[in-house]
Amino acid sequence: MSLGTIARRVAGKRKPAETEAGTGRAGAAVWEAAGAELAAQQRAGTAPLPPRTPPPWVAEPEKAGAVAARRFGRGLVWGVLGLAALTGIRSWVAPAPARLAPPAAPAETAPAYPAAAAQAVAARLARAYLTWDEAAPEARAAQLAAVLPAGADTAMGWDGEGRQRVVAVEPGEVTEGSAGLARVRVDVLLADAGADIPARWVGLDVPVARTAGGGVVVTGQPGLLGSPATGPKAPPAPAPVADTELSRATEAAVAQFFTALTTADTSTVTAPGARIPPLPAGVAFRTLDAWTIDHKEKAGDRTGTALVTWGISGAEIQQTYRVTLTRVSSASAARWQVSALHGGENP
């Protein structure tokens, strides 16, 4: 008996011939045989599976709004990732230029104090203030009026007696105060007219003020100050190492140069292109007292120190020079010639 026949019998469906047989004893036998066969098939594992029981939950269709929101979120995430990737690649290939910060606004500062003008006014005041002649007091008053405010006292404390002259005036440091006020240090070389007192230096502090127009005017009486007996201590200078051999080899050429320096023409003792003017008439070369060339590892121009004694105005005076030599070559010979000259020991 086939599986289809058994299934129809279980479902209550029979063929026409079986319908009549089932009404009687023969029908009962058929059903018993079918049940026995079905039990045998179930034991053998070939019987059809019973219908599946549906799950207790039922899937509901997703709403249209949720679907749209999910799709929009996915698109936004992918868009951000794509933009980041594009920006990164572009920055690798062509980095964005650095943005310069806007320039800061310049700070407003007060104009610098007119130090040069203050020194000039103080120097004129010092010369006029310390020059007097009892025989011509009006001359001093006129000189002071040129640097004092209109209506100021041009006597400035002088009693009208005696005679004094100023030999030299040297304006110095300007010390700025508040509200445009300042004081100027002036060194003055004084000489008593007709007296046996030698000339001497004195200091003078001159009070000044800056005017609205940017000028400088004296604001009151100055005060005499002493001048130091010595200058400040100089910093130690490094002692150069001398090139003894080259110093001896070039000594005659240097002496010849200083001899020619007192003549009208120095072109024969200077290197090509050098411009060293000669000394004026009345100066005579006496001796080259010392000459040393600084030691130098590399080839090229060489510089040394020369001590020279000059004769001038009936006296002799020794002076120090820094002399630069250049090696000059021609077809027949090579020699050292002076290419630069400076007074003093400093480079």
Side-chain angles (χ1 to χ4, degrees):
M1 182 181 295
S2 66
L3 183 60
T5 303
I6 297 173
R8 283 193 299 271
R9 291 180 178 178
V10 172
K13 297 180 181 181
R14 307 179 186 83
K15 292 183 180 180
E18 294 175 349
T19 302
E20 293 180 357
T23 56
R25 189 173 187 83
V30 172
W31 280 105
E32 290 177 0
E37 183 178 357
L38 179 58
Q41 290 180 359
Q42 287 178 347
R43 286 193 300 270
T46 58
L49 297 176
R52 298 180 60 183
T53 305
W57 45 267
V58 179
E60 295 183 358
E62 191 173 8
K63 295 182 180 180
V67 174
R70 186 176 68 253
R71 292 178 178 176
F72 175 77
R74 292 177 179 175
L76 181 61
V77 171
W78 283 109
V80 171
L81 293 176
L83 180 61
L86 179 61
T87 304
I89 294 174
R90 186 177 61 184
S91 63
W92 300 337
V93 177
R99 295 184 178 179
L100 299 178
E108 294 184 1
T109 57
Y113 200 88
Q119 289 175 323
V121 169
R124 291 181 61 187
L125 182 282
R127 182 178 291 277
Y129 177 77
L130 293 176
T131 299
W132 54 68
D133 186 351
E134 60 184 10
E138 66 281 355
R140 179 177 182 272
Q143 293 295 323
L144 288 173
V147 292
L148 293 175
D153 178 19
T154 55
M156 294 195 76
W158 178 47
D159 67 353
E161 302 293 330
R163 289 191 301 170
Q164 180 174 272
R165 64 188 179 93
V166 172
V167 179
V169 174
E170 296 293 338
E173 183 180 6
V174 178
T175 304
E176 184 179 356
S178 59
L181 301 178
R183 67 176 182 272
V184 184
R185 166 73 183 222
V186 182
D187 291 319
V188 184
L189 182 61
L190 297 177
D192 290 342
D196 295 334
I197 302 175
R200 68 275 188 196
W201 285 98
V202 296
L204 195 69
D205 268 356
V206 180
V208 297
R210 179 172 53 195
T211 64
V216 176
V217 65
V218 176
T219 59
Q221 293 181 351
L224 284 174
L225 299 171
S227 292
T230 62
K233 184 178 180 180
V241 179
D243 188 331
T244 306
E245 182 178 354
L246 186 58
S247 297
R248 287 196 299 264
T250 57
E251 184 174 0
V254 173
Q256 183 182 7
F257 164 76
F258 280 108
T259 301
L261 198 60
T262 60
T263 66
D265 185 14
T266 60
S267 60
T268 59
V269 292
T270 55
R275 297 289 186 270
I276 303 176
L279 293 173
V283 181
F285 173 71
R286 292 288 188 260
T287 58
L288 176 63
D289 302 318
W291 166 246
T292 55
I293 286 185
D294 301 344
H295 182 74
K296 185 179 180 181
E297 298 293 340
K298 298 181 180 179
D301 293 352
R302 305 298 295 271
T303 300
T305 301
L307 295 180
V308 180
T309 296
W310 303 104
I312 180 172
S313 299
E316 289 188 351
I317 186 169
Q318 188 184 71
Q319 296 181 342
T320 305
Y321 293 89
R322 292 287 287 173
V323 183
T324 301
L325 301 181
T326 298
R327 183 79 168 174
V328 179
S329 301
S330 62
S332 58
R335 62 188 184 277
W336 291 95
Q337 289 187 320
V338 176
S339 59
L341 179 68
H342 303 284
E345 298 180 357
N346 293 341

